[in-house]
Amino acid sequence: MRNNRKIMIAGNWKEHFTVSEASHFLHKLEESVISHHSIEVVLFPNILTLQPLSTQLDRRKFRLGAQDGYYEDAGAYTGEVSMAMLRDLVHYVLVGHSERRHLFNESDSIVAKKAQAAVRNGIMPILCVGETLQERLANETKQIIHNQLTAGLMHLTSTEASAIVIAYEPVWAIGTGEFAKPDQVEEVILYIRKQVAELLGERASRHIRILYGGSVDDQNARSFLDISSCDGALIGGASLNHLKFSKVVESAYRVQQQRTGQ
Ligand code: PGA
């Protein structure tokens, strides 16, 4: 069955760019990425560089997202940048990225508060879910995904939740060069859609976009984008190579053309 969900290619710039490095890299990307109305390309630079990049960005080509954001809108939280501070700068924010969950001990309940704070401030959360290698080997993948999804969506109404994006990122595939097999990805994405249908209804399940992330590059992107229930990719390492990233955008465009029968 055809779907009319727009494919998203998201670049999580996990490099600690300075403002001038980020600006230089954006310039290169603007030269190499060809824009297509049917493909949404979203860049996630570090928080320091968001503001200067927002003045440089070609908005016909790219949207901006934040890699993280704090859930309290205001108050004494030294060092935190709230979703309220990000609201005029970004369209999207990553919540629950595995590096936040594992390196910074973010619990499901913090992730849920962040998703809620994003929506409250008019920012679309990209809720990241995924199992560790140990959990996969112990056959716990679906249970983990189920727990992360139900917790992450907990504070959202069904209308709010059906507008968000979910990224399936198996922890063992992030930054390792070891990507999941397309049939593994398809199985989990279909499971996520089923869970969304149960939690929020059939309409939400048809509507919600689900991305795959974990060692996606220009060589393997097509195999994930060819999965009809997969709506795009969240790319870390390869998003820092402007040629690779622009090739992924082209692959997405070809897939979208096929999907819409053009
Ligand atoms: P990777 O990172 O593409 O380098 O595996 C993915 C991510 O950070 O979301």
Side-chain angles (χ1 to χ4, degrees), residues 10-14 94 97-99 128 167 169-179 212-217 233-240:
N12 181 14
W13 292 8
K14 289 193 285 188
L94 300 180
H97 188 278
S98 96
E99 284 147 22
C128 304
E169 297 207 299
V171 178
W172 47 274
I174 299 178
T176 57
E178 195 187 325
F179 47 91
Y212 167 72
S215 298
V216 176
D217 63 17
L234 175 54
I235 307 171
S239 75
L240 295 163

Side-chain angles (χ1 to χ4, degrees), residues 34-193:
I34 300 169
S35 64
H36 301 287
H37 284 305
S38 53
I39 307 294
E40 186 175 16
V41 183
V42 190
L43 308 176
F44 292 80
N46 69 55
I47 219 128
L48 177 71
T49 60
L50 271 176
Q51 205 285 328
L53 291 187
S54 76
T55 61
Q56 176 187 339
L57 195 81
D58 180 346
R59 282 162 210 280
R60 288 162 307 180
K61 279 195 176 166
F62 304 117
R63 285 184 154 173
L64 278 181
Q67 295 176 8
D68 188 30
Y70 193 55
Y71 53 81
E72 295 291 352
D73 287 349
Y77 302 101
T78 301
E80 292 298 319
V81 174
S82 71
M83 300 288 181
M85 291 155 78
L86 291 168
R87 67 172 301 153
D88 296 325
L89 270 181
V90 299
H91 270 89
Y92 294 96
V93 61
L94 300 180
V95 295
H97 188 278
S98 96
E99 284 147 22
R100 301 293 322 168
R101 290 181 191 265
H102 295 102
L103 301 176
F104 299 94
N105 292 324
E106 269 187 23
S107 63
D108 278 337
S109 93
I110 291 179
V111 173
K113 286 189 200 170
K114 289 189 171 182
Q116 183 186 31
V119 169
R120 179 170 70 236
N121 284 289
I123 303 172
M124 182 103 60
I126 299 188
L127 173 64
C128 304
V129 297
E131 80 288 0
T132 62
L133 183 57
Q134 229 178 359
E135 289 159 349
R136 173 161 283 269
L137 295 177
N139 246 332
E140 291 168 359
T141 301
K142 288 186 179 165
Q143 189 58 47
I144 296 295
I145 301 291
H146 170 84
N147 296 349
Q148 291 177 342
L149 269 183
T150 37
L153 301 176
M154 184 163 64
H155 301 309
L156 304 181
T157 66
S158 134
T159 316
E160 285 167 349
S162 51
I164 77 163
V165 178
I166 293 170
Y168 168 52
E169 297 207 299
V171 178
W172 47 274
I174 299 178
T176 57
E178 195 187 325
F179 47 91
K181 295 194 186 75
D183 56 336
Q184 292 174 317
V185 173
E186 181 165 32
E187 191 186 354
V188 177
I189 289 184
L190 290 175
Y191 178 73
I192 294 174
R193 261 191 218 293

